[in-house]
Amino acid sequence: MKIAACQMVSGPDVGANLKTARRLLESAATQGAGLAALPEYFCLMGQHDSDKLALAEELGHGPIQAMLSLAARELQLWIIGGTLPIRAEQPGRVRNTTLVFSPTGDVAARYDKIHLFAYDNGRESYDEARVLEAGSQPTAFDAGGVRTGLSVCYDLRFPELFRRYNPCDLIAVPAAFTYTTGEKHWELLLRARAVENQCYVIAPAQGGRHENGRRTWGHSMIVDPWGEVLAVLPEGEGVVCADIDPRRLAQVRQQLPALAHRKL
Ligand SMILES: NC(=O)CCC(=O)C(=O)O
């Protein structure tokens, strides 16, 4: 199966972001992809974290989910819907959720970001726990024979989550890595997760200067089970594609049976 990572530079206009997402999904389908993934926060990079509250949807309702469902059906794609805000149990919070839509337009999986990002270097500071409610459930699904595990952005720094998906063919990491941390850690972490789990990794990202003043690292990437970068888009909107090859997965695991050697 060909897979596609869509990179965006989302802003505060939800309608414009949804149009861009649809255009990139169309481009993925035109390039022959059977699965396409959108970045974290594809529908909104607002001025304040709390902007997500007004946008939050109930599961199964709302314009963001309607767009994803229609695109999956019309384009005959598996869509990993980056993240969108889904109402949380706690008042004043949202879940940062990846919804997966199958080519029938139905929701095939839901994953709520487990690890909430916090960073403060004196110039930039983030604290997702102010508005987000953390998830707790690792989630995997089957995309036409491709066993796929789900994670979101900062989860990438927690290898124990990725281990829970073993064995799988692909792990998705929709992201909005900061420019500062991404420059140092993004590729290193993605390739490490691919190598240690001997699977493909698809990482669609936010990449560029956003209207809210934030700068994200981009470098949407597809990595193979040997840690080779198959495709990368440094900055700006666009789509990168690569093929998932079951023979490559089998070859890597047979030549270096590290997964079979796990003791802990
Ligand atoms: N949105 C996020 O989770 C950002 C994570 C990040 O930038 C990191 O360095 O980790």
Side-chain angles (χ1 to χ4, degrees):
M1 185 196 275
K2 183 172 278 190
I3 59 173
C6 302
Q7 182 159 292
M8 294 179 62
V9 192
S10 299
D13 181 340
V14 180
N17 295 330
L18 294 187
K19 274 195 194 137
T20 301
R22 169 74 197 213
R23 187 166 44 74
L24 294 175
L25 292 169
E26 284 172 7
S27 165
T30 305
Q31 291 178 59
L35 178 150
L38 294 165
E40 186 183 31
Y41 300 135
F42 73 92
C43 44
L44 178 71
M45 290 282 276
Q47 202 62 39
H48 308 288
D49 280 352
S50 54
D51 294 347
K52 297 178 185 77
L53 297 174
L55 195 64
E57 296 186 351
E58 294 287 350
L59 189 62
H61 300 276
I64 306 168
Q65 291 169 76
M67 185 284 280
L68 293 172
S69 169
L70 189 67
R73 204 154 21 94
E74 288 184 347
L75 303 172
Q76 284 299 291
L77 277 176
W78 286 89
I79 295 179
I80 298 179
T83 64
L84 61 140
I86 293 285
R87 274 196 199 121
E89 277 172 25
Q90 289 170 271
R93 306 260 165 153
V94 297
R95 296 275 176 136
N96 191 11
T97 300
T98 299
L99 291 179
V100 177
F101 288 82
S102 75
T104 60
D106 297 310
V107 173
R110 169 186 178 163
Y111 171 78
D112 296 346
K113 184 177 189 177
I114 293 176
H115 303 95
L116 302 185
F117 183 52
Y119 179 66
D120 190 344
N121 66 359
R123 294 180 304 280
E124 280 175 86
S125 83
Y126 308 93
D127 184 4
E128 289 187 327
R130 282 197 295 250
V131 168
L132 300 185
E133 182 179 82
S136 57
Q137 281 301 314
T139 305
F141 69 100
D142 210 306
V146 178
R147 186 79 190 149
T148 305
L150 296 171
S151 70
V152 174
C153 202
Y154 185 55
D155 284 331
L156 180 60
R157 296 183 181 274
F158 300 85
E160 58 276 19
L161 170 64
F162 288 68
R163 274 298 198 222
R164 294 282 291 271
Y165 294 135
N166 242 295
C168 67
D169 306 311
L170 175 68
I171 295 178
V173 194
F177 248 60
T178 73
Y179 190 93
T180 314
T181 56
E183 188 178 22
K184 299 294 177 203
H185 299 158
W186 172 247
E187 180 174 339
L188 176 76
L189 290 168
L190 289 172
R191 295 177 67 193
R193 299 294 88 87
V195 169
E196 70 200 4
N197 295 295
Q198 301 190 312
C199 68
Y200 287 87
V201 169
I202 182 168
Q206 295 281 350
R209 288 186 189 278
H210 302 262
E211 275 180 59
N212 62 7
R214 193 167 160 184
R215 190 172 180 197
T216 46
W217 175 241
H219 291 76
S220 291
M221 206 171 269
I222 300 173
V223 185
D224 87 352
W226 194 240
E228 305 279 3
V229 176
L230 300 181
V232 61
L233 177 60
E235 215 179 356
E237 279 168 20
V239 178
V240 286
C241 295
D243 287 313
I244 297 238
D245 181 356
R247 286 164 310 182
R248 183 70 178 140
L249 279 161
Q251 184 193 44
V252 167
R253 291 173 186 177
Q254 190 214 332
Q255 289 180 355
L256 202 165
L259 290 180
H261 290 163
R262 285 179 62 196
K263 296 203 171 162
L264 301 173

